[in-house]
Amino acid sequence: MTSSIKRKARVRAPELAGRGWLNTGGKDVHLKDLRGKIVLLDFWTFCCINCLHVLDELRPLEEEFADVLVTAGVHSPKFVHEADPDALAAAVERYEVHHPVLDDPELTTWQNYAVKAWPTLVLIDPEGYVVHHAAGEGHAEALSRVIRELVKEHEAKGTLHRGDGPYEPPERQRTELRFPSKVVVTPQGTLLVADAANHSIAELEADGETLVRRIGTGHRGRSDGDSPSFSEPSGIALLPTEIAERTGYQAVVADTVNHLLRGLNLDTGVVTTIAGTGEQWRDGPTDGPATEIDLSSPWDVAWWDGKVIIAMAGNHTLSAFDPIAGTVSRYAGTTVEGLHDGPAEQAFFAQTSGLAAAGDRLWLVDSETSALRWIDTEHVVHTAIGKGLFDFGHRDGDGDQALLQHPLGVTVLGDGSVAIADTYNGAIRRYDPETGQVSTLADGIKEPSGAAIVDGELVVVASAAHRLERPISPGDNEQLVAGKAHQVKRPPTVLAPGEVELTVVFQPPPGQKLDERYGPSTRLEITSSPPELLVEGAGTSTTLTRRLVVADGVDMGVLHVVAQAASCDDDPAIEHPACRLTRQDWGVPIRMQDGGLRRLPLMLGGMDD
């Protein structure tokens, strides 16, 4: 297999252009300043769960190659809120980004590097040439191999310079709560808060300010017992009394970055791991003994239908945890990211981040489609608000015309209506299932992400303000907002109607080969929104090239592409070679136009020669 750093033609890396830099002490960074270093560009946006996964994947790589590698995040926003410099600075702190970040609000550098997906990784050699390009997650090992080859090559040439990079850590602020995520009310009337950036669970008095106790060390970890540790915990669900008595814990915590569910005994403060292996799900079984099944960024949990339903934000599905049987199973979704209703096992979700059970409905918010949805007792999925992956805004009125912007939380009010933590609009919205009407209850809140009702008042988690707030009593100050509709700035790919060849490019990293021991090593799944966009080519196959026939008469749409490839060490002397799965989901906005492209390449890993 040809090394991914040996290319027929060398491509000079375009300059890094944007509004400014974070984590550099106020200094701008130019590629000429980085000559002699290996540079890794991470194109990300802070709404994107896959991007957050990559931040964590890169941490060991940055540590291993600290004296030769400079990682630079290029933040190219999807949502309007993400283009706010203060919101970006908060996200860089929230997710503990320990490298320079270029603020690219107009997607200038994104377009200069021909990026088509969040996240995308681009590797630049010490002489300033692009040598590797990869989209999606699971590339850390491939990058490590390419970097080792680059170190060897450029040390021999004398073009590698060791030493510190331009990163300068900002001063960390300390507050009682730090980027809290969700809140629930205990039977004793206290508030349990998932204190994400403090990596712990805070129990507060009903006033929402007085700390009763903190469960967790406050440092990232995954230890159980009476001195437990978490990693960015999010959702919390309380179990029915009869279930809690049998399990020995009253609360279930979605330990998001650890990819675990943790059981919390509220009497003793003891924490137990009850689901997940600690590894992120990429492929493989989704049903079985709970502690033997990989999870993927569980973001929220709710008791409904006799189980703990898990919002599996990392792979766009819902799972169900049975605390008595000790099992986990897929509850809804296919792993395709999108907005598609119908039977739960066929529905598309998009980073479900909030759940709320109410009688015969499980309400949920899909943050990436800015949607409010529900599942009924027949296991059918419905959409109340939401247009798809690329439409959002702040607009009230009829549900089928209303718009949200990346909501993270949902709470059922006493009258059966639904309060939505409309996070990137900084608002609490209300949806009335009886009338289908949407209104705004409160705005001016810094990234609301969850809420609970305490003594008739709505207590809101103002995540970016690092506190709980009581902005309203349900029914007070209700207003209608006729705000703007927005679409993602990302330019659509212009295709010609008729036949189009879609190719996903993948090259195994140096020292690896495609894993074909048990059959095909690659998989490609394609769907579209609307479905009539594709006349031919939808479906699943084991090759990474597909002939599509795009409808003539559908002006715009989205191609949903899921590709994966398995590769293993290419050394016959190794009896049990290490194998890895690379996977990426693309939601490619397309526009049809005569004279458009008839070939659509997508980069999974390597270089397209």
Side-chain angles (χ1 to χ4, degrees):
M1 179 63 64
T2 302
S3 166
S4 59
I5 67 171
K6 308 298 185 184
R7 289 185 43 81
K8 296 176 183 177
R10 304 184 81 195
V11 177
R12 176 69 71 178
E15 187 51 87
L16 305 176
R19 181 165 54 190
W21 287 83
L22 293 85
N23 285 353
T24 63
K27 304 187 202 73
D28 287 341
V29 177
H30 303 282
L31 284 179
K32 65 181 177 58
D33 304 327
L34 303 177
R35 290 289 187 268
K37 295 288 190 183
I38 300 165
V39 179
L40 176 60
L41 301 182
D42 174 18
F43 289 84
W44 71 300
T45 185
F46 64 77
C47 70
C48 163
I49 189 65
N50 310 92
C51 300
L52 303 185
H53 291 164
V54 168
L55 288 176
D56 291 320
E57 290 176 3
L58 295 182
R59 296 185 203 280
L61 204 68
E62 294 174 273
E63 184 176 349
E64 179 183 357
F65 297 104
D67 62 339
V68 296
L69 177 69
V70 172
T71 301
V74 181
H75 187 267
S76 306
K78 173 181 175 179
F79 291 100
V80 169
H81 176 71
E82 293 175 295
D84 182 310
D86 293 334
L88 174 57
V92 167
E93 179 195 344
R94 179 196 304 255
Y95 298 117
E96 299 179 15
V97 180
H98 294 160
H99 53 245
V101 175
L102 172 65
D103 184 3
D104 181 29
E106 300 300 324
L107 278 67
T108 303
T109 298
W110 163 289
Q111 293 183 67
N112 289 345
Y113 279 82
V115 174
K116 286 188 170 66
W118 295 281
T120 289
L121 299 165
V122 177
L123 205 58
I124 302 170
D125 74 11
E127 295 178 295
Y129 292 94
V130 174
V131 293
H132 191 81
H133 192 291
E137 308 174 37
H139 294 287
E141 177 60 26
L143 291 169
S144 178
R145 290 169 181 263
V146 176
I147 291 169
R148 289 192 191 101
E149 283 206 352
L150 289 170
V151 169
K152 189 185 304 180
E153 175 187 342
H154 288 274
E155 274 192 327
K157 292 173 67 175
T159 50
L160 182 73
H161 302 159
R162 295 182 180 272
D164 293 335
Y167 171 64
E168 291 189 25
E171 183 178 351
R172 178 178 168 83
Q173 302 297 314
R174 304 287 177 180
T175 50
E176 191 75 79
L177 299 177
R178 202 71 190 163
F179 296 106
S181 179
K182 307 288 184 185
V183 59
V184 296
V185 183
T186 70
Q188 291 71 38
T190 59
L191 307 181
L192 281 185
V193 180
D195 195 4
N198 281 328
H199 308 295
S200 57
I201 306 299
E203 186 173 7
L204 306 178
E205 296 284 8
D207 61 10
E209 298 179 358
T210 306
L211 183 68
V212 176
R213 59 174 168 170
R214 184 172 296 279
I215 300 166
T217 63
H219 302 287
R220 286 186 189 270
R222 50 170 294 187
S223 58
D224 287 339
D226 57 7
S227 183
S229 54
F230 302 86
S231 187
E232 297 180 33
S234 186
I236 306 172
L238 298 178
L239 297 179
T241 302
E242 64 275 14
I243 302 297
E245 289 174 350
R246 296 176 64 182
T247 62
Y249 52 86
Q250 297 94 339
V252 174
V253 178
D255 193 4
T256 305
V257 176
N258 278 329
H259 309 292
L260 298 173
L261 294 189
R262 317 290 292 280
L264 168 59
N265 185 308
L266 294 175
D267 298 326
T268 64
V270 169
V271 169
T272 308
T273 296
I274 55 177
T277 64
E279 296 295 322
Q280 181 191 339
W281 182 93
R282 297 194 188 281
D283 196 18
T286 58
D287 300 9
T291 54
E292 298 176 16
I293 299 297
D294 295 342
L295 307 182
S296 186
S297 295
W299 204 279
D300 202 5
V301 281
W303 179 262
W304 193 70
D305 197 19
K307 298 180 179 65
V308 176
I309 307 301
I310 312 164
M312 208 78 77
N315 64 10
H316 317 298
T317 66
L318 304 181
S319 287
F321 167 62
D322 186 331
I324 302 302
T327 58
V328 165
S329 59
R330 174 71 56 80
Y331 191 79
T334 67
T335 78
V336 174
E337 183 180 18
L339 184 68
H340 177 68
D341 291 341
E345 67 277 6
Q346 300 172 21
F348 296 171
F349 299 92
Q351 209 169 300
T352 305
S353 301
L355 300 171
D360 60 357
R361 291 187 180 187
L362 176 68
W363 292 97
L364 59 96
V365 282
D366 272 352
S367 58
E368 284 297 283
T369 51
S370 299
L372 171 68
R373 308 174 76 185
W374 82 89
I375 302 177
D376 63 27
T377 54
E378 301 297 319
H379 287 199
V380 175
V381 179
H382 310 263
T383 296
I385 307 169
K387 303 292 186 183
L389 285 166
F390 301 102
D391 295 275
F392 59 93
H394 188 164
R395 178 187 291 163
D396 290 327
D398 292 338
D400 59 358
Q401 297 299 314
L403 295 170
L404 309 170
Q405 185 181 181
H406 196 79
L408 291 179
V410 60
T411 305
V412 179
L413 302 177
D415 63 358
S417 64
V418 177
I420 306 158
D422 192 7
T423 308
Y424 287 2
N425 280 325
I428 299 297
R429 312 285 292 282
R430 176 178 174 270
Y431 173 74
D432 186 341
E434 294 296 321
T435 65
Q437 294 295 297
V438 180
S439 56
T440 297
L441 296 181
D443 56 15
I445 306 166
K446 287 191 173 182
E447 296 190 5
S449 60
I453 297 175
V454 180
D455 296 329
E457 290 186 314
L458 198 63
V459 175
V460 175
V461 181
S463 186
H466 317 294
R467 62 177 182 259
L468 304 184
E469 295 182 357
R470 286 176 163 84
I472 49 163
S473 294
D476 291 349
N477 303 317
E478 197 161 352
Q479 59 180 309
L480 296 179
V481 174
K484 292 182 179 179
H486 298 282
Q487 287 192 321
V488 175
K489 288 183 179 180
R490 173 181 167 185
T493 299
V494 180
L495 298 181
E499 291 192 15
V500 174
E501 181 185 60
L502 184 145
T503 302
V504 177
V505 178
F506 178 76
Q507 295 173 324
Q512 287 203 329
K513 63 179 181 180
L514 289 172
D515 178 17
E516 297 177 335
R517 294 172 298 166
Y518 308 110
S521 58
T522 57
R523 182 177 183 273
L524 179 63
E525 180 180 354
I526 299 176
T527 54
S528 67
S529 299
E532 56 269 23
L533 176 67
L534 286 181
V535 178
E536 295 181 31
T540 303
S541 66
T542 58
T543 61
L544 294 182
T545 299
R546 184 80 59 84
R547 172 184 170 271
L548 308 179
V549 178
V550 182
D552 188 1
V554 180
D555 294 333
M556 300 189 71
V558 179
L559 288 178
H560 304 282
V561 182
V562 182
Q564 63 185 45
S567 57
C568 291
D569 291 338
D570 187 13
D571 185 346
I574 300 177
E575 183 178 358
H576 301 291
C579 298
R580 293 160 190 88
L581 183 74
T582 303
R583 176 188 171 98
Q584 168 65 351
D585 298 5
W586 288 270
V588 183
I590 63 172
R591 178 165 57 86
M592 268 56 72
Q593 181 178 308
D594 290 339
L597 300 174
R598 293 200 175 276
R599 179 175 180 264
L600 177 58
L602 298 174
M603 181 65 64
L604 183 59
M607 292 298 292
D608 184 6
D609 291 320

